[in-house]
Amino acid sequence: MNLLREKLAKYDAPQKAKAAGIYPYFREIESDQDTEVIISGKKVLMFGSNAYLGLTNHPKVKEAAVDAIKKYGTGCAGSRFLNGTLDIHVQLEKRLAEFVGKDDAISFSTGFQVNEGVISCITGREDYIIWDELNHASIIEGIRLSFSTKLKYKHNDMESLEKQLQKCDADKIKLIVMDGVFSMEGDVANLPEIVNLAKKYKASVMVDEAHGIGIFGKQGRGTCDHFGVTKDIDLIMGTFSKSFASLGGFIAADKDTINYLRHNARTYIFSASCTPASIAAANASLDIMLSEPERVDHLWYLTRYALEGFRQMGCEIGNTSTPIIPLFIRNNDLTFLIVRELFDAGVFVNPVVSPAVASHDTLIRFSLMATHTKEQLDYAMEAIQMIFKKHHLI
């Protein structure tokens, strides 16, 4: 065995979890992505999805994807930079820019590529990137690739953010980057105060709206719209894989910024274009987002109901105020075990364990969709209450 294989062979955490019967990953879903899915022939309630508006099965979204394949084929056979730009790419980008309140936008093949490509190229060696410690992995990867000085501030801590801003040279570019809604904890960035600090220290702001669009703001325009700070945010990122029920992502900003990114973001220039079906599905989802506000209303009804219920149970759910509800377990193996027991009870949830979070912060990520019924939510919460009591968590 060569040295590389010898090193990699020592990684045996998955094998140990499998041997213990608590391995929770890569569960094969044999049905559509809905509030109820089939895994190994068994029906379970899905409370682990990011499809917050429940549009993955909407007839108009599926029809749009099929029609796009019929017209354009299954792929673009090249990058946007060369032969892979379709008219529907440009049409959707114009709509997205208007939707989030910016001049222009470009779409990438995944949301991860947006953050990785944009953040890594937009600032220079003498500049600064200031970032929240609980930002999504895609933001962190973009920061790692940047040549700028990186300064991390404590999660949603404005005093910590200001201290980091004070370390920066006044005449250099300073980019503050954070999630609008934090994907694991479900809490919301303090955008009004971040904007105030950005103005005070002449910094720019980029917000990842992956988990904010479709939930917050007028007709789901996101946390920037919700707080009324859109004009003060320099770059707004979004993904198609959540509320847009598709695959891909976008960045929206002023025309000069988008022009620069269009010709410099390597994950945009050197990646194959987002497929016709994905673009068409996202476009149809945007139509529904704008025309069916009752979906968002129902999602917020379920969210308020669930938050109140979990708090009354005595569950530790942190500072969440969104359809993303963390149920803290604070033990890796116990988190895996409870996920399995909930699955056996007919409830699919996601484990979040180290190294994704600190070992003392492990949790179950319970997420809601607009298409869930109150009855489904009641069943899941009763199962959680029973299992949490069994393990003395409540």
Side-chain angles (χ1 to χ4, degrees):
M1 183 180 291
N2 63 34
L3 291 176
L4 176 62
R5 290 181 60 193
E6 184 178 346
K7 173 190 174 182
L8 301 182
K10 293 178 182 178
Y11 175 66
D12 61 356
Q15 295 92 310
K16 289 180 179 178
K18 289 177 182 178
I22 57 174
Y23 184 73
Y25 302 120
F26 303 104
R27 291 173 280 183
E28 297 179 20
I29 298 174
E30 302 157 358
S31 64
D32 51 5
Q33 186 79 229
D34 207 343
T35 58
E36 189 176 76
V37 299
I38 299 174
I39 300 176
S40 301
K42 175 183 178 177
K43 287 185 177 181
V44 294
L45 293 174
M46 172 54 74
F47 284 95
S49 174
N50 291 321
Y52 302 116
L53 295 183
L55 297 179
T56 55
N57 289 309
H58 197 291
K60 291 180 180 178
V61 176
K62 293 195 288 186
E63 182 181 1
V66 171
D67 288 346
I69 290 176
K70 288 179 179 178
K71 179 175 181 178
Y72 298 99
T74 56
C76 297
S79 71
R80 289 291 304 279
F81 204 59
L82 299 174
N83 63 301
T85 292
L86 303 176
D87 54 355
I88 55 174
H89 285 112
V90 178
Q91 291 163 12
L92 177 60
E93 288 164 349
K94 289 179 179 178
R95 294 191 71 199
L96 289 170
E98 181 181 0
F99 181 66
V100 299
K102 291 299 172 187
D103 294 339
D104 203 356
I106 49 174
S107 59
F108 292 63
S109 298
T110 69
F112 197 109
Q113 288 179 327
V114 179
N115 283 334
E116 187 177 44
V118 171
I119 297 169
S120 63
C121 82
I122 202 166
T123 56
R125 290 181 182 274
E126 297 182 348
D127 302 324
Y128 300 87
I129 299 176
I130 306 101
W131 57 286
D132 189 293
E133 64 181 347
L134 294 187
N135 277 346
H136 188 264
S138 58
I139 296 176
I140 295 171
E141 287 305 308
I143 292 169
R144 283 177 176 174
L145 290 172
S146 173
F147 292 113
S148 301
T149 298
K150 297 99 172 172
L151 299 172
K152 178 172 64 175
Y153 64 92
K154 294 177 183 178
H155 176 53
N156 236 355
D157 186 324
M158 297 300 100
E159 183 179 350
S160 176
L161 171 56
E162 183 161 23
K163 286 180 179 178
Q164 298 295 47
L165 286 165
Q166 289 170 346
K167 295 177 182 179
C168 304
D169 292 341
D171 60 345
K172 301 300 180 184
I173 294 170
K174 297 167 283 292
L175 178 67
I176 309 170
V177 187
M178 82 300 300
D179 291 3
V181 174
F182 290 88
S183 59
M184 295 299 136
E185 295 75 16
D187 55 340
V188 182
N190 187 352
L191 292 185
E193 187 56 29
I194 290 170
V195 165
N196 288 339
L197 287 172
K199 290 178 178 179
K200 180 177 179 181
Y201 292 93
K202 297 181 180 179
S204 300
V205 182
M206 174 177 170
V207 179
D208 178 334
E209 287 277 29
H211 299 270
I213 287 178
I215 299 172
F216 282 94
K218 183 181 178 182
Q219 295 173 298
R221 284 175 166 83
T223 56
C224 299
D225 181 84
H226 170 74
F227 286 113
V229 296
T230 297
K231 63 180 176 59
D232 298 309
I233 304 299
D234 298 274
L235 299 105
I236 295 177
M237 175 271 181
T239 183
F240 299 157
S241 58
K242 277 74 175 177
S243 294
F244 286 106
S246 184
L247 181 65
F250 71 94
I251 190 77
D254 62 275
K255 288 188 180 296
D256 290 335
T257 299
I258 294 302
N259 176 62
Y260 178 85
L261 292 171
R262 187 178 280 121
H263 296 89
N264 287 275
R266 294 170 70 85
T267 58
Y268 177 80
I269 297 170
F270 296 106
S271 288
S273 300
C274 203
T275 65
S278 295
I279 291 294
N283 192 49
S285 295
L286 179 55
D287 287 338
I288 296 164
M289 208 178 296
L290 293 169
S291 62
E292 298 183 16
E294 63 272 14
R295 286 180 175 267
V296 179
D297 293 341
H298 184 63
L299 179 60
W300 278 109
Y301 162 75
L302 293 174
T303 298
R304 289 189 290 269
Y305 180 80
L307 291 173
E308 181 181 358
F310 282 127
R311 289 192 175 107
Q312 286 181 349
M313 270 186 226
C315 293
E316 184 184 355
I317 62 172
N319 295 317
T320 181
S321 58
T322 70
I324 302 168
I325 303 175
L327 303 170
F328 285 93
I329 308 297
R330 304 195 182 282
N331 178 288
N332 267 12
D333 289 342
L334 183 57
T335 301
F336 286 152
L337 177 60
I338 290 175
V339 167
R340 191 199 70 189
E341 291 182 351
L342 282 170
F343 180 82
D344 292 341
V347 179
F348 184 112
V349 292
N350 290 315
V352 182
V353 300
S354 61
V357 294
S359 58
H360 58 271
D361 285 333
T362 60
L363 57 92
I364 286 171
R365 185 181 187 273
F366 185 90
S367 53
L368 295 162
M369 292 184 280
T371 42
H372 279 126
T373 65
K374 181 175 176 294
E375 290 72 25
Q376 289 174 326
L377 180 54
D378 282 335
Y379 179 89
M381 293 175 70
E382 288 170 8
I384 289 169
Q385 184 174 30
M386 178 185 69
I387 291 170
F388 274 39
K389 279 186 176 179
K390 172 184 171 183
H391 293 286
H392 309 292
L393 290 168
I394 55 175

